[in-house]
């Protein structure tokens, strides 16, 4: 069956370090993958999109990689700040783009 | 632009009651969807629509109905509320192959 896995345990890192979050998937052939940020009591907010033929995408302090061989995406936040503390969700879009499947998210805590 | 607007923000229902969660978007997006979010389960797709007059079921459609009479509105109806429908509900819209814009959510409790 299709499965998306994000580390369910919270990730705690020191301010200024690089945070790396992982999204693994099985039995998908995603056309593209998205990353979202969700703060408590709010809806997810779109951050980055990467297509299957792209290896890497950057936006300011954010970087996403997409390895279709490993079936994995990595999401990096460089020079992390306490304001980056949130839950980060990955989402896969495949065949027909009509349905998107979200991972359960990883909670990031940046410690001052 | 307001984006995606959901009402109400909070609701308490008794078992067996019915209600409609409202969702409206002003971005002229054809695609709209409803998700529920439960602890440890992530976002699960309830119903979606690819345009006015067209709807389809998602992963967890039982107990919910939708309709799409206009591009802007996509209401979600709970037919007979059950405690298992206690959840946070999100409406989202997107461009054809683009990113989602989510509403702020409706926190529903069924007692």
């Amino acid at each position: 069956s299709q499965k998306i896995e994000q580390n369910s345990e919270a990730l705690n890192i020191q301010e200024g370090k690089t945070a790396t979050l992982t999204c693994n998937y099985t039995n998908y052939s995603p056309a593209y993958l998205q990353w979202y940020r969700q703060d408590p009591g709010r809806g997810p907010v779109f951050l980055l999109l990467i297509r299957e033929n792209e290896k890497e995408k950057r936006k300011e302090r954010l970087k996403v990689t997409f390895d279709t061989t490993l079936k994995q995406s990595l999401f990096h936040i460089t020079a992390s700040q306490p304001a980056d503390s949130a839950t980060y969700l990955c989402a896969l879009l495949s065949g027909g783009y009509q349905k998107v499947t979200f991972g359960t998210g990883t909670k990031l805590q940046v410690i001052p | 632009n307001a984006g995606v607007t959901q009402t109400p923000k909070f609701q308490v229902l008794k078992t067996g009651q019915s209600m409609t969660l409202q969702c409206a978007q002003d971005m002229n997006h054809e695609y709209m969807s409803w998700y529920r979010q439960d602890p440890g389960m992530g976002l699960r797709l309830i119903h979606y629509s690819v345009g006015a007059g067209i709807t389809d079921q998602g992963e967890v459609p039982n107990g919910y109905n939708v309709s799409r009479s206009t591009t802007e509105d996509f209401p979600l109806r709970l037919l007979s509320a059950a405690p298992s429908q206690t959840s946070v509900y999100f409406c989202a819209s997107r461009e054809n192959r683009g990113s989602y814009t989510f509403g702020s959510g409706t926190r529903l409790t069924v007692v």
Side-chain angles (χ1 to χ4, degrees):
Chain A
S1 62
Q2 295 178 323
K3 201 172 181 182
I4 301 172
E5 289 186 335
Q6 292 187 258
N7 193 345
S8 59
E9 293 186 12
L11 177 64
N12 296 322
I13 65 163
Q14 210 67 33
E15 181 176 6
K17 301 291 186 184
T18 296
T20 299
L21 285 70
T22 304
C23 177
N24 295 305
Y25 60 92
T26 55
N27 296 322
Y28 276 101
S29 295
Y32 57 95
L33 185 147
Q34 301 174 345
W35 283 89
Y36 289 79
R37 170 186 173 139
Q38 187 174 22
D39 293 286
R42 310 289 292 272
V45 174
F46 171 74
L47 296 174
L48 279 170
L49 177 155
I50 186 165
R51 293 181 170 78
E52 59 180 335
N53 59 351
E54 297 176 316
K55 296 293 185 186
E56 182 179 298
K57 207 78 170 285
R58 292 176 184 262
K59 179 183 176 183
E60 297 173 351
R61 293 185 296 113
L62 308 181
K63 184 178 85 171
V64 172
T65 63
F66 194 12
D67 189 326
T68 55
T69 301
L70 292 179
K71 297 186 184 298
Q72 180 181 80
S73 175
L74 299 179
F75 177 78
H76 306 273
I77 306 175
T78 58
S80 59
Q81 305 165 0
D84 295 326
S85 299
T87 296
Y88 292 86
L89 310 173
C90 69
L92 299 182
L93 286 83
S94 57
Y97 313 113
Q98 306 297 18
K99 298 180 185 179
V100 175
T101 305
F102 285 84
T104 55
T106 298
K107 186 174 181 179
L108 173 67
Q109 187 78 28
V110 180
I111 302 163
Chain B
N1 284 351
V4 177
T5 303
Q6 285 185 242
T7 56
K9 292 191 182 302
F10 301 93
Q11 183 71 48
V12 179
L13 287 179
K14 293 182 179 179
T15 297
Q17 286 185 318
S18 62
M19 78 159 295
T20 299
L21 307 185
Q22 301 292 344
C23 176
Q25 53 96 5
D26 62 358
M27 298 169 286
N28 204 34
H29 288 167
E30 292 294 330
Y31 184 98
M32 295 185 74
S33 55
W34 277 100
Y35 286 86
R36 60 177 289 174
Q37 189 174 39
D38 303 289
M41 301 290 287
L43 288 160
R44 291 184 292 169
L45 182 64
I46 304 171
H47 285 285
Y48 67 97
S49 169
V50 299
I54 306 169
T55 63
D56 205 349
Q57 296 181 348
E59 180 185 355
V60 287
N62 292 342
Y64 308 95
N65 270 358
V66 292
S67 60
R68 185 94 180 270
S69 56
T70 66
T71 299
E72 294 78 21
D73 300 300
F74 191 43
L76 177 73
R77 297 183 188 84
L78 278 70
L79 309 173
S80 177
S84 61
Q85 293 179 304
T86 294
S87 187
V88 181
Y89 291 84
F90 289 102
C91 178
S93 72
R94 72 163 209 248
E95 295 176 311
N96 189 24
R97 297 181 182 186
S99 61
Y100 278 85
T101 300
F102 282 85
S104 56
T106 296
R107 186 173 295 272
L108 175 68
T109 302
V110 182
V111 298

